[in-house]
């Protein structure tokens, strides 16, 4: 009887905690998107996030990405999180491809 009570209480607490968890979504505004990604990655790993975000920030905030390209990044980033893929390496690898493409396409 005592074991059942504990299981019921744990089940109730777990369902309550899971119902309060909100899925991460990133803004579709340039500056806010960067802040969202920054916070999301820094919450996972400050060191990995810091190293990567320094490079990504330059390309994202100062680069020549079109609005169409940005919309695709917003959509893909939100899809990566919705599918519960890992921030490191899945999201960061995707964003690294954006950085690499932007650096490659930049005129010398």
């Amino acid at each position: 009887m005592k074991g059942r009570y504990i299981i019921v209480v744990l089940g109730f607490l777990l369902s309550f905690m899971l119902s309060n968890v909100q899925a991460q979504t990133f803004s579709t505004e340039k500056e806010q998107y960067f802040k969202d990604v920054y916070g999301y990655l820094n919450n996972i790993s400050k060191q990995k996030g810091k190293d990567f975000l320094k490079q990504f920030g330059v390309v994202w905030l100062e680069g020549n990405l079109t609005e169409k390209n940005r919309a695709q990044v917003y959509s893909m980033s939100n899809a990566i999180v919705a599918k519960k893929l890992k921030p490191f390496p899945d999201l960061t690898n995707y964003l690294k491809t954006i950085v690499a493409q932007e650096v490659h396409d930049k005129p010398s």
Side-chain angles (χ1 to χ4, degrees):
M1 183 69 176
K2 199 174 192 180
R4 276 190 166 166
Y5 178 74
I6 291 173
I7 290 173
V8 169
V9 170
L10 287 175
F12 175 75
L13 290 174
L14 183 61
S15 66
F16 178 74
M17 288 176 9
L18 291 176
S19 68
N20 287 330
V21 172
Q22 294 181 0
Q24 171 72 40
T25 56
F26 301 112
S27 173
T28 57
E29 295 178 13
K30 182 170 114 173
E31 289 82 12
Q32 188 59 46
Y33 172 83
F34 181 75
K35 289 178 185 176
D36 292 347
V37 170
Y38 186 92
Y40 181 66
L41 294 178
N42 269 338
N43 283 338
I44 310 294
S45 171
K46 289 190 187 286
Q47 187 57 44
K48 286 182 186 178
K50 182 180 173 184
D51 295 342
F52 167 71
L53 289 165
K54 196 181 299 183
Q55 184 182 26
F56 178 66
V58 171
V59 169
W60 186 256
L61 298 172
E62 300 170 15
N64 295 321
L65 291 168
T66 66
E67 284 305 312
K68 182 179 178 182
N69 293 127
R70 289 184 194 281
Q72 292 170 337
V73 173
Y74 302 140
S75 177
M76 184 59 75
S77 299
N78 285 323
I80 287 170
V81 173
K83 291 185 181 280
K84 299 182 180 174
L85 300 177
K86 296 178 182 178
F88 297 97
D90 299 324
L91 178 61
T92 54
N93 281 345
Y94 170 67
L95 295 176
K96 284 177 185 178
T97 62
I98 304 303
V99 170
Q101 184 65 42
E102 183 70 11
V103 168
H104 179 268
D105 289 349
K106 187 176 183 179
S108 330

